[in-house]
Amino acid sequence: MQKLFRLQSKGSSATSSQTSFSGSSSGEGSSTSTTHASHVSTATYNGNSNPSPKIGIFLVGATYLDTIMHVNSFPHEDMKQRSERFEQRRGGNAANTAEILGQDPRAKVWYMSSMPAPAAAKILLTALERNNVKTEACVFHSAQLTAPQAYIISAKDTGSRTVISHSTLPDLTLEEFIKRFDAARMRAVPDIVDMSCPFNWIHFEGRGPDVYKMINYVESIYIKQRWRQKLTISVEFEKGDRPGIPYLLKQADVCFFSKLYAQTLGFDRPEDFLASIKEFCKPTATLFCCWGAMGAVGLHLETGTRFSSSAGTVDRVVDPVGAGDTFIAGIILALGVRGYDIGRGLQFACELASQKCAQYGFSHLLKSIPPDL
């Protein structure tokens, strides 16, 4: 059994419909008011308070040192062009998500990643630790003296982000994961809402076969301890060409799909993509597909309820790098920490991702969102 989320309440402005999906088509029907009990703590959320105990969140992913060149338009091949702005900051999808989650006082966030030698990793860990993210679960490789690199060209006129990455770091192994995860869950208990259950939400980047084994291990522990109904396992599906990805679809309680993933499989509408991919997912899963400036769509498989939300409005887009990672953080915060229903959670995540595009980096991002949204 998995944690269940409330579908929608009267206060949500995201649209929902009870929909029967088949193939790549979707038919609209009557709205639903079905609700499911939430296992999220019932303590009242207050953006200005620092309540305790907290919701335990654990994230696993790859970490990069991003070098970002902001340009007015993408350069033509074999030409020179001046950058309007240059910056270097820690990157990596789950790492970006963790930094945002750590800004919520009700979340206790842990992050695990393969890292270079401690001296080279310092620049990668600083922003995370400054935002209350625990990094003790990271695995350091003393022979790796440089951080993984990602070079990003962010074009202002189209909003495109072109990424070239390089890493010689080995991916996390199952053995490393088990050792560090077990140690982390022992340390996490003292100030967690449910002291018997260290993490209520565990998120993975969908990077390959070893992630499948890691999730199997987590489930074996949580089932043995009778914690499984208190846990949400989410997986990000960014690239469709990674080995072992199809196996992860059946494991995730929450699936996050990128626009790139859907387009790689030949879809140009998120609704059609979710209608097709749902057959390969866990029957009780909740699916989300973020579509950039067009907003995002969600699908609750158990009831067939589809949700959609437009993107938030900002005066000027200055830095869209990490907007998708911000969307994921928004959903985890909304459903896993604040106890929002799915409709309101989707709206919150879209607004948060839009606000990310209006600022450079992730610092103090949650403060840009009204506490009652």
Side-chain angles (χ1 to χ4, degrees):
M1 180 184 289
Q2 71 184 72
K3 181 192 296 183
L4 300 175
F5 306 115
R6 292 183 294 119
L7 294 184
Q8 192 168 25
S9 61
K10 294 180 180 179
S12 173
S13 63
T15 60
S16 69
S17 60
Q18 187 74 29
T19 309
S20 175
F21 289 97
S22 61
S24 60
S25 63
S26 62
E28 298 295 336
S30 60
S31 62
T32 179
S33 60
T34 304
T35 59
H36 285 183
S38 173
H39 293 278
V40 177
S41 169
T42 56
T44 302
Y45 173 77
N46 183 332
N48 297 319
S49 65
N50 186 19
S52 184
K54 302 182 179 184
I55 303 294
I57 305 173
F58 195 92
L59 302 96
V60 183
T63 315
Y64 287 83
L65 180 61
D66 287 353
T67 300
I68 306 171
M69 308 293 285
H70 296 275
V71 297
N72 285 326
S73 60
F74 191 83
H76 296 291
E77 186 177 359
D78 199 26
M79 69 170 288
K80 292 183 178 181
Q81 181 171 322
R82 182 179 294 273
S83 170
E84 297 299 312
R85 178 184 170 95
F86 162 86
E87 61 179 316
Q88 195 170 60
R89 66 181 185 231
R90 190 266 313 122
N93 295 5
N96 291 339
T97 299
E99 181 176 341
I100 299 164
L101 291 172
Q103 296 173 24
D104 191 299
R106 287 201 55 215
K108 184 170 184 178
V109 184
W110 289 69
Y111 178 65
M112 181 190 292
S113 181
S114 182
M115 289 282 178
K122 185 176 181 180
I123 190 173
L124 304 178
L125 300 176
T126 300
L128 291 170
E129 294 169 348
R130 187 171 58 240
N131 284 277
N132 308 308
V133 177
K134 303 288 186 181
T135 60
E136 296 98 304
C138 290
V139 178
F140 297 90
H141 298 272
S142 58
Q144 298 285 334
L145 302 181
T146 58
Q149 304 287 321
Y151 298 89
I152 304 173
I153 300 175
S154 179
K156 182 179 179 180
D157 58 348
T158 63
S160 68
R161 292 151 289 175
T162 304
V163 183
I164 302 174
S165 61
H166 173 74
S167 175
T168 57
L169 267 181
D171 287 335
L172 286 170
T173 66
L174 176 62
E175 292 73 21
E176 289 169 337
F177 173 82
I178 291 174
K179 181 179 179 180
R180 297 305 177 98
F181 179 77
D182 284 348
R185 66 186 178 89
M186 296 300 178
R187 296 190 193 122
V189 168
D191 58 349
I192 294 298
V193 167
D194 185 342
M195 292 183 64
S196 67
C197 179
F199 302 113
N200 303 98
W201 195 300
I202 301 178
H203 175 74
F204 294 87
E205 291 179 10
R207 302 189 64 83
D210 276 348
V211 174
Y212 175 82
K213 298 174 185 176
M214 293 173 191
I215 294 176
N216 278 344
Y217 178 74
V218 168
E219 288 211 296
S220 70
I221 294 295
Y222 273 67
I223 290 172
K224 181 179 179 181
Q225 299 294 335
R226 299 183 179 180
W227 298 337
R228 186 60 182 93
Q229 73 277 10
K230 303 174 183 178
L231 171 68
T232 296
I233 295 175
S234 63
V235 178
E236 177 195 16
F237 298 91
E238 183 185 33
K239 298 178 181 178
D241 57 353
R242 283 176 168 160
I245 288 296
Y247 297 104
L248 300 177
L249 292 170
K250 287 290 186 184
Q251 291 181 303
D253 302 319
V254 175
C255 298
F256 295 106
F257 297 102
S258 69
K259 180 179 179 180
L260 173 63
Y261 188 98
Q263 289 179 328
T264 299
L265 297 181
F267 293 89
D268 56 11
R269 280 170 33 93
E271 298 89 348
D272 296 340
F273 166 70
L274 292 184
S276 177
I277 200 71
K278 76 180 185 71
E279 298 179 13
F280 303 96
C281 300
K282 181 184 290 190
T284 55
T286 303
L287 317 181
F288 295 99
C289 186
C290 192
W291 213 260
M294 301 300 292
V297 174
L299 177 60
H300 185 262
L301 295 189
E302 197 166 19
T303 61
T305 309
R306 189 179 71 197
F307 300 85
S308 63
S309 177
S310 59
T313 302
V314 296
D315 293 334
R316 187 166 68 101
V317 173
V318 298
D319 179 20
V321 177
D325 310 328
T326 304
F327 174 83
I328 292 175
I331 291 293
I332 295 175
L333 278 176
L335 303 186
V337 178
R338 302 187 176 190
Y340 292 176
D341 59 76
I342 297 175
R344 185 182 179 190
L346 186 64
Q347 178 194 2
F348 173 81
C350 286
E351 181 65 31
L352 188 65
S354 297
Q355 291 301 320
K356 162 65 197 80
C357 295
Q359 71 170 60
Y360 291 103
F362 306 94
S363 296
H364 310 295
L365 182 58
L366 286 186
K367 292 183 178 180
S368 67
I369 301 295
D372 58 344
L373 181 63

